[in-house]
Amino acid sequence: MSGAVDWVPAEVDVDVPSSARIYDYVLGGAHNFERDRMIGDQLAQVVPVREMARLNRSFLRRAVLFLIDNGIRQFLDIGSGIPTVGNVHEVAHEADPSCRVVYVDYEPVAVAHSQLILRDDPNAVMVQSDLRDPERILNDPETRRMLDFDQPIGLLMVGVFQFIADADDPAGVIARYRDALPSGSYLALSHFTPDNMEEGMAKAVGVFQNSAEPIHPRTHAQVTALFDGFDLVEPGVVFTANWRPESAADQGDDPEHSGIYAGVARKP
């Protein structure tokens, strides 16, 4: 830890694993701690977590480019995590430098590093907040400065809602965002599932009990219900590897066992 103290925010307890830092670790990032790596290694013993993370990241890239192809030039990325290669603003700005991006996360390391990376970027900002408080996020001065709510917005919730318990009403939370978005906006969402990986995902649930954020994998029907009020685009809710793949790498070795459902939908 001696070499890491200069980048660790004071409020971070390095002994409590966080989902953002675990995800950073399995993607090959460097902003994680021993306890995060321990959980990541335990996950790798029960599910193909590194491949799941890679395929999820690849879905995010394709979804952003799909939204740009359909006229979206502003993005609200909620649960964005620790910056790694292929962030939304990097993908979007390569296609159109005028795209604007608001990142949202509550994990201090994710926030600190995003703010550092974005400090000289006029078209991207980081907001520290909990996704379960839509009104706070939507009315944050930085959100309002960056996004025009009279124009369609791409709402990205990629790999985050499995951390929201049923008691927190995930569908209701999404509905509050949906109702605030203008017509023509899109939702891109991905979510852990036990479908086709029941035993391994049950063990993964047990592993995450030792982290700051337990997981709540959901079935195809439950994930599809999160898109209520939106019109799903083809191919609907499918495994990440099967959502409009562009190459063999996008599909991986076993698309039907990629462990995460994904979909993109438009607000009428």
Side-chain angles (χ1 to χ4, degrees):
M1 283 302 302
S2 59
V5 291
D6 58 339
W7 60 263
V8 180
E11 67 269 31
V12 172
D13 183 348
V14 300
D15 292 323
V16 179
S18 85
S19 58
R21 300 195 305 267
I22 295 166
Y23 191 53
D24 175 68
Y25 171 60
V26 299
L27 280 172
H31 295 107
N32 48 75
F33 309 124
E34 182 179 354
R35 292 283 294 172
D36 305 309
R37 295 188 285 274
M38 184 188 309
I39 295 294
D41 291 340
Q42 290 174 359
L43 286 171
Q45 294 175 15
V46 298
V47 292
V49 65
R50 290 182 175 84
E51 180 73 346
M52 289 167 62
R54 185 188 70 79
L55 293 173
N56 191 55
R57 197 73 178 175
S58 183
F59 160 72
L60 173 63
R61 178 187 61 80
R62 299 195 305 278
V64 168
L65 293 176
F66 172 84
L67 297 190
I68 290 175
D69 286 345
N70 283 274
I72 299 297
R73 292 297 183 273
Q74 48 183 1
F75 298 87
L76 179 58
D77 183 4
I78 297 182
S80 52
I82 293 171
T84 56
V85 174
N87 284 307
V88 171
H89 74 284
E90 294 175 329
V91 175
H93 288 167
E94 185 173 344
D96 185 340
S98 72
C99 287
R100 299 185 303 280
V101 180
V102 174
Y103 291 110
V104 180
D105 209 297
Y106 75 171
E107 205 282 331
V109 172
V111 172
H113 284 279
S114 294
Q115 291 173 339
L116 183 65
I117 286 173
L118 301 174
R119 67 187 184 278
D120 297 322
D121 192 327
N123 287 332
V125 297
M126 169 53 103
V127 171
Q128 184 168 15
S129 194
D130 190 315
L131 71 85
R132 292 169 293 187
D133 193 351
E135 290 73 27
R136 178 178 174 182
I137 291 170
L138 294 167
N139 293 306
D140 187 280
E142 287 291 85
T143 303
R144 288 288 163 172
R145 180 178 69 84
M146 191 64 63
L147 304 181
D148 179 359
F149 280 78
D150 291 326
Q151 299 295 324
I153 293 169
L155 175 60
L156 309 173
M157 295 177 162
V158 175
V160 66
F161 259 81
Q162 64 264 8
F163 299 106
I164 305 302
D166 289 344
D168 290 320
D169 187 18
V173 171
I174 292 178
R176 286 151 64 193
Y177 287 104
R178 181 197 66 218
D179 292 346
L181 296 176
S183 177
S185 295
Y186 284 83
L187 167 64
L189 179 146
S190 67
H191 196 299
F192 278 34
T193 180
D195 296 356
N196 288 12
M197 203 184 290
E198 187 172 356
E199 182 180 352
M201 197 60 72
K203 292 179 179 177
V205 169
V207 172
F208 266 102
Q209 291 297 327
N210 297 314
S211 75
E213 299 104 358
I215 60 170
H216 309 273
R218 294 183 170 94
T219 65
H220 186 271
Q222 291 171 322
V223 175
T224 301
L226 297 176
F227 288 95
D228 282 357
F230 292 91
D231 296 330
L232 280 160
V233 304
E234 291 295 332
V237 176
V238 296
F239 290 110
T240 48
N242 291 330
W243 197 89
R244 298 175 179 249
E246 298 170 351
S247 68
D250 287 342
Q251 291 192 294
D253 294 332
D254 191 355
E256 294 300 317
H257 287 81
S258 46
I260 301 176
Y261 281 131
V264 174
R266 183 180 185 273
K267 180 178 176 178

